[in-house]
């Protein structure tokens, strides 16, 4: 049975509702799901793959609720002009980079992001992809990378009018075709949403078409919302509506839809997001880097919005993003006690709920029936590790090391820091370097 796995004798940090520290416990995974969590001696006569986790902590794999795989090829890039504001960052860097991407670039940049995720124990990702000169088939190229790495990912193409009508139509078609394909496959590894870049680059006519496709396909949308104040200014000037109100008008908001950022939303918009059960994904490192502000996730959570955590491609390490998210909330409130519950919930409780809505499995807890997605860290705590201390150890201790072993649906993707894949990482990096060099020349 290929998906039968026993993780033996670890310190299991179950997380989830009961969040317990179980020493000397084993986790049995069968048919992709956790079948049993029990003291080591209680599980007998197991025949199948074993991983010894003695002296290590065993956690549910992490979820990244908003990222851009294609950004992998920006690492080391220095030829972007200086930017004064967010719109210049887009024009000087990201729109030049994504316009130069080929289909092969999409595949390799995805592999780089996915392999980095495995190294940090991230097992499920929500990607938002753009390659305006290589739209057709781009999602399939990324899907191939996802399947080769064994992770779970929800993909979409970020539809926009910024490159003209022909490319907008290709974006509509790419989303629709890929969503249909995923629905036919009905596979818990690869899912799709309908991608929209952002309100300020999508006309009413294109938004209407996207909404019609999305509703016919019974899918949610994945869109950047009020990342900078300029998105609101444009919506008010051009459409006499605030961004969230405009999305509501087109029925883009729903429990299956993801609104990334939501920094510049007012109380009325927060309530609309809550009423429609739309997911908001907070990306603190990217927001700080672009100097666009810090989302008020404390208020969003208070108003009943489900707030998750993403990296917006700033890192593949979810615990690094968690830390910065905490510091950002402290700074925003000028109070070092604000935001701990909201930010840790975003990663450990809400991201699993978001993934649950899309992938149809239970995530974020190691107990019978949850997805067999596990991260193991070689962590020997120098201070007591008890039921109430787990988050503090994650933020201040486990965040400082790479994962030892990463498992998705009972399949081992990395063991003792060695990738267990039909991919040669050195070869992937070598080809990626060649492609990135050519891409930078074309920009
Ligand atoms: Zn983004």
């Amino acid at each position: 049975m290929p998906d039968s796995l026993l993780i033996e004798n670890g310190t299991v940090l179950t997380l989830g509702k009961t969040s317990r520290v179980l020493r000397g416990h084993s986790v049995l995974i069968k048919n992709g799901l956790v079948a049993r969590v029990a003291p080591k001696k209680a599980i007998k006569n197991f025949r199948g793959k074993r991983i010894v986790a003695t002296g290590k902590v065993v956690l549910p794999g992490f979820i990244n609720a908003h990222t851009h795989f294609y950004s992998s090829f920006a690492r080391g890039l220095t030829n972007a002009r200086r930017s004064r504001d967010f719109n210049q960052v887009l024009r000087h860097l990201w729109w030049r980079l994504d316009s130069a991407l080929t289909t092969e670039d999409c595949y390799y940049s995805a592999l780089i992001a996915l392999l980095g995720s495995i190294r940090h124990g991230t097992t499920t990702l929500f990607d938002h992809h753009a390659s305006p000169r290589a739209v057709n088939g781009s999602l399939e190229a990324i899907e191939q990378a996802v399947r080769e790495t064994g992770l779970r990912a929800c993909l979409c193409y970020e539809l926009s009018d910024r490159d003209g009508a022909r490319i907008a139509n290709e974006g509509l078609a790419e989303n629709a075709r890929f969503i249909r394909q995923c629905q036919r496959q009905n596979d818990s590894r690869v899912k799709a949403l309908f991608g929209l870049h952002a309100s300020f680059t999508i006309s009413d006519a294109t938004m209407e078409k996207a909404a019609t496709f999305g509703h016919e396909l019974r899918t949610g949308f994945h869109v950047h919302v009020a990342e900078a104040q300029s998105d609101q200014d444009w919506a008010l000037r051009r459409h006499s509506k605030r961004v969230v109100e405009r999305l509501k008008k087109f029925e883009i908001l729903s429990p299956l839809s993801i609104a990334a950022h939501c920094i510049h939303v007012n109380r009325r918009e927060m309530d609309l997001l809550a009423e429609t059960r739309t997911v908001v994904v907070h990306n603190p490192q990217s927001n700080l880097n672009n100097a666009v502000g810090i989302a008020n996730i404390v208020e969003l959570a208070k108003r009943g919005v489900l707030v998750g955590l993403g990296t917006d491609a700033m890192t593949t390490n979810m615990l690094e993003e968690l830390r910065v998210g905490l510091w950002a909330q402290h700074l925003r409130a000028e109070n070092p006690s604000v935001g701990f519950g909201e930010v840790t919930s975003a990663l450990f409780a809400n991201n699993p709920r978001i993934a649950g809505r899309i992938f149809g499995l239970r995530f974020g807890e190691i107990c019978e029936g949850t997805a067999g997605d596990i991260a193991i860290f070689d962590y020997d705590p120098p201070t007591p590790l008890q039921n109430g201390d787990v988050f503090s150890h994650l933020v201040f201790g486990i965040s400082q090391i790479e994962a030892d072993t990463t498992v998705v649906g009972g399949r081992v993707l990395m063991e003792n820091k060695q990738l267990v894949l039909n991919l040669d990482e050195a070869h992937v990096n070598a080809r990626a370097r060649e492609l990135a060099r050519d891409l930078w020349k074309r920009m």
Side-chain angles (χ1 to χ4, degrees):
M1 188 69 217
D3 287 346
S4 219
L5 175 70
L6 184 66
I7 299 168
E8 274 187 310
N9 196 35
T11 297
V12 179
L13 310 182
T14 66
L15 300 186
K17 284 199 183 72
T18 52
S19 192
R20 285 167 302 156
V21 177
L22 304 172
R23 288 198 170 71
H25 271 57
S26 298
V27 179
L28 176 64
I29 301 172
K30 277 186 175 172
N31 302 319
L33 303 178
V34 174
R36 210 171 156 205
V37 184
K40 183 190 172 220
K41 285 183 183 151
I43 300 178
K44 293 183 184 125
N45 303 323
F46 173 78
R47 284 200 206 99
K49 166 83 181 158
R50 288 168 186 262
I51 288 177
V52 177
T54 307
K56 298 176 183 176
V57 293
V58 180
L59 288 153
F62 304 122
I63 295 163
N64 186 347
H66 177 77
T67 191
H68 304 272
F69 296 156
Y70 70 80
S71 298
S72 302
F73 280 179
R75 194 191 301 182
L77 178 69
T78 52
N79 78 353
R81 279 164 53 204
R82 287 169 74 92
S83 300
R84 275 196 322 273
D85 59 30
F86 177 61
N87 287 298
Q88 286 197 348
V89 172
L90 292 177
R91 282 199 303 275
H92 293 171
L93 174 58
W94 297 115
W95 292 355
R96 284 175 58 214
L97 184 139
D98 67 22
S99 293
L101 290 167
T102 63
T103 309
E104 191 182 11
D105 293 333
C106 299
Y107 167 75
Y108 274 93
S109 56
L111 276 183
I112 298 299
L114 293 159
L115 293 177
S117 299
I118 292 174
R119 294 238 173 254
H120 289 100
T122 297
T123 47
T124 299
L125 301 102
F126 288 75
D127 189 59
H128 199 260
H129 174 70
S131 50
R133 305 285 177 259
V135 180
N136 299 325
S138 58
L139 295 180
E140 248 160 353
I142 297 169
E143 180 193 7
Q144 188 190 335
V146 172
R147 292 199 183 278
E148 286 172 4
T149 55
L151 291 164
R152 297 185 205 275
C154 176
L155 309 181
C156 72
Y157 186 86
E158 58 170 72
L159 173 66
S160 174
D161 283 314
R162 69 179 150 96
D163 301 296
R166 185 179 60 81
I167 292 173
N169 282 330
E170 287 180 7
L172 284 163
E174 181 70 2
N175 274 304
R177 187 187 57 75
F178 191 73
I179 291 164
R180 282 195 197 99
Q181 186 178 307
C182 285
Q183 289 175 341
R184 270 198 306 275
Q185 286 172 344
N186 192 24
D187 174 346
S188 69
R189 299 284 171 137
V190 180
K191 296 288 181 190
L193 288 171
F194 204 106
L196 307 170
H197 171 249
S199 167
F200 70 98
T201 70
I202 302 178
S203 68
D204 276 353
T206 301
M207 194 76 91
E208 183 69 53
K209 285 182 200 162
T212 304
F213 269 122
H215 299 148
E216 270 173 24
L217 294 164
R218 296 174 188 276
T219 187
F221 299 83
H222 188 169
V223 54
H224 294 121
V225 174
E227 181 171 1
Q229 178 58 37
S230 53
D231 193 12
Q232 290 289 9
D233 296 343
W234 178 259
L236 286 165
R237 217 172 36 241
R238 188 64 174 256
H239 306 289
S240 304
K241 279 191 168 45
R242 294 184 65 85
V243 173
V244 175
E245 292 168 341
R246 180 168 183 240
L247 295 174
K248 174 83 164 56
K249 185 183 112 181
F250 288 98
E251 296 181 59
I252 299 295
L253 306 178
S254 84
L256 296 179
S257 291
I258 294 176
H261 304 298
C262 291
I263 299 165
H264 300 277
V265 292
N266 66 17
R267 301 286 196 268
R268 162 85 188 124
E269 290 176 293
M270 290 182 183
D271 289 341
L272 282 175
L273 292 163
E275 279 165 27
T276 53
R277 296 178 59 220
T278 303
V279 168
V280 167
V281 176
H282 180 45
N283 303 273
Q285 294 205 77
S286 160
N287 301 156
L288 292 167
N289 182 46
N290 289 328
V292 287
I294 301 167
N296 190 352
I297 66 159
V298 173
E299 186 66 24
L300 281 159
K302 197 171 109 192
R303 287 172 182 265
V305 179
L306 184 63
V307 180
L309 189 70
T311 63
D312 213 12
M314 291 289 286
T315 176
T316 52
N317 180 351
M318 291 312 297
L319 296 177
E320 178 192 312
E321 194 70 34
L322 173 79
R323 280 163 65 90
V324 176
L326 288 168
W327 320 151
Q329 289 302 312
H330 296 172
L331 186 63
R332 186 181 191 288
E334 296 184 19
N335 179 339
S337 300
V338 166
F340 190 85
E342 288 80 2
V343 182
T344 53
S345 292
L347 179 59
F348 299 118
N350 300 348
N351 277 7
R353 285 176 63 194
I354 296 161
R357 287 182 186 178
I358 304 295
F359 289 85
L361 294 170
R362 284 169 61 205
F363 294 97
E365 183 168 4
I366 300 180
C367 66
E368 201 181 314
T370 55
D373 298 3
I374 306 284
I376 303 176
F377 287 83
D378 191 358
Y379 181 63
D380 180 19
T383 51
L385 169 59
Q386 297 161 107
N387 287 347
D389 313 327
V390 171
F391 289 155
S392 180
H393 276 278
L394 284 160
V395 172
F396 293 99
I398 300 169
S399 65
Q400 304 303 297
I401 53 175
E402 287 194 349
D404 188 73
T405 296
T406 303
V407 174
V408 172
R411 179 181 163 200
V412 182
L413 310 183
M414 178 174 75
E415 185 173 1
N416 296 325
K417 296 197 163 65
Q418 299 295 314
L419 296 173
V420 192
L421 302 170
N422 292 324
L423 281 171
D424 177 351
E425 195 176 21
H427 170 83
V428 170
N429 285 338
R431 182 65 187 141
R433 273 194 300 276
E434 288 173 1
L435 291 169
R437 191 181 301 126
D438 292 347
L439 171 76
W440 294 357
K441 281 186 201 146
R442 290 195 303 274
M443 280 175 66

